[in-house]
Amino acid sequence: MDILETDAFYRRQRRNMSCSLFVHLVPFFLATAAYFYVWTPASVGSTMAAGVKSAPALLLAAVVLIWNGPQSLLGVAGGLLCSALGDFCLVWPEQLFIHGMAAFAAAHLLYSLTFLSTRYSSDSSSKWPRVFYPVLFLTGGSFYFYLYPYLQKAPDSELLVPGVGLYILLITLMGSLAVRTRSLITVLGSLVFMVSDVTLAVQVFKAAVIENGTVVVMVTYYLSQLLIAVGDVKTVESNDDFSKWKRA
């Protein structure tokens, strides 16, 4: 098999794998649609709402596990499971907000470790990703500075002031390491996740009023998790294809 035939073969294989991946993602799309169909403000605090809200992240974790294997439990699949736990907790924000924030912080830590792994190629000779690092950290620090007075007014301010600061540091680190991967899907997923969390934070701590804020938060949240999950699957798929191409 010459190079042209090998290239054509793996292009067809990638198309077939993309179709198969889409089929595996159908339950996630249905679960996401179900959430927006059944969600109402009155559903906050119900077990059914917690299950429906957590289902999309659980289904994405299952997809990553199927495609990337059990080792992804210490990576993106594990981060999605932590996110599902965070979704569950935030259905009871008055009682379990800090628990939910801790679950999402663990998810960002797992994502960060994954983006540092050798599965994600990074061109160390390129300087352009480094330009974004100070921008992201400056943005994160500025947002914390903006949010700080509102955190001090919160009932659990002694926990929230340092906790939110640590959380912002972790999600900013996750976004920076996503940029390092040079994977467009992964970078978009991490940045959209940051937008989702900023939108949620300003509402939770009453720093701003956003029309249809909950819809904005959840649309960007589910989109970010989808992009991160697909980016992880595609990264493994690309590495496998490259290894096979070299052996051909």
Side-chain angles (χ1 to χ4, degrees):
M1 185 180 292
D2 61 27
I3 292 178
L4 292 178
E5 290 175 335
T6 301
D7 182 60
F9 172 78
Y10 285 116
R11 277 186 301 186
R12 288 195 300 271
Q13 188 179 53
R14 281 194 294 270
R15 284 197 297 270
N16 292 337
M17 292 179 73
S18 295
C19 292
S20 178
L21 176 59
F22 177 79
V23 171
H24 280 83
L25 289 170
V26 168
F28 162 79
F29 294 126
L30 294 176
T32 303
Y35 168 79
F36 287 107
Y37 179 76
V38 304
W39 181 86
T40 62
S43 67
V44 174
S46 73
T47 304
M48 177 182 175
V52 172
K53 186 178 182 183
S54 303
L58 289 173
L59 291 167
L60 280 178
V63 171
V64 176
L65 279 170
I66 290 170
W67 282 76
N68 293 352
Q71 66 272 14
S72 58
L73 284 172
L74 295 177
V76 168
L80 287 164
L81 292 175
C82 289
S83 297
L85 177 60
D87 290 333
F88 190 91
C89 292
L90 292 184
V91 172
W92 294 273
E94 294 183 359
Q95 295 85 16
L96 298 177
F97 180 81
I98 292 177
H99 301 77
M101 184 173 66
F104 279 111
H108 296 318
L109 184 59
L110 286 170
Y111 291 157
S112 296
L113 292 174
T114 303
F115 299 156
L116 276 172
S117 69
T118 54
R119 291 195 295 103
Y120 283 83
S121 60
S122 177
D123 184 3
S124 58
S125 65
S126 176
K127 297 285 191 287
W128 76 264
R130 300 176 189 176
V131 175
F132 291 92
Y133 301 160
V135 173
L136 288 173
F137 278 97
L138 181 61
T139 301
S142 300
F143 180 67
Y144 180 68
F145 181 77
Y146 166 76
L147 208 59
Y148 184 79
Y150 301 95
L151 294 174
Q152 289 183 308
K153 299 175 185 177
D156 297 326
S157 59
E158 68 280 357
L159 289 174
L160 287 172
V161 169
V164 171
L166 177 60
Y167 183 87
I168 291 175
L169 176 63
L170 287 174
I171 194 172
T172 304
L173 177 64
M174 186 271 291
S176 299
L177 293 175
V179 172
R180 176 183 176 275
T181 68
R182 301 172 63 84
S183 167
L184 180 59
I185 297 176
T186 301
V187 173
L188 288 176
S190 65
L191 295 180
V192 173
F193 208 141
M194 296 175 74
V195 170
S196 178
D197 276 359
V198 166
T199 308
L200 175 64
V202 296
Q203 293 178 94
V204 168
F205 300 114
K206 299 177 173 58
V209 177
I210 299 176
E211 188 176 356
N212 299 316
T214 300
V215 174
V216 174
V217 169
M218 296 310 298
V219 167
T220 52
Y221 168 69
Y222 286 136
L223 176 60
S224 68
Q225 297 283 38
L226 172 64
L227 291 172
I228 290 172
V230 171
D232 195 57
V233 169
K234 289 290 187 181
T235 296
V236 174
E237 175 187 323
S238 298
N239 289 342
D240 289 346
D241 284 349
F242 181 67
S243 298
K244 293 174 184 175
W245 182 84
K246 287 199 299 182
R247 292 197 298 267

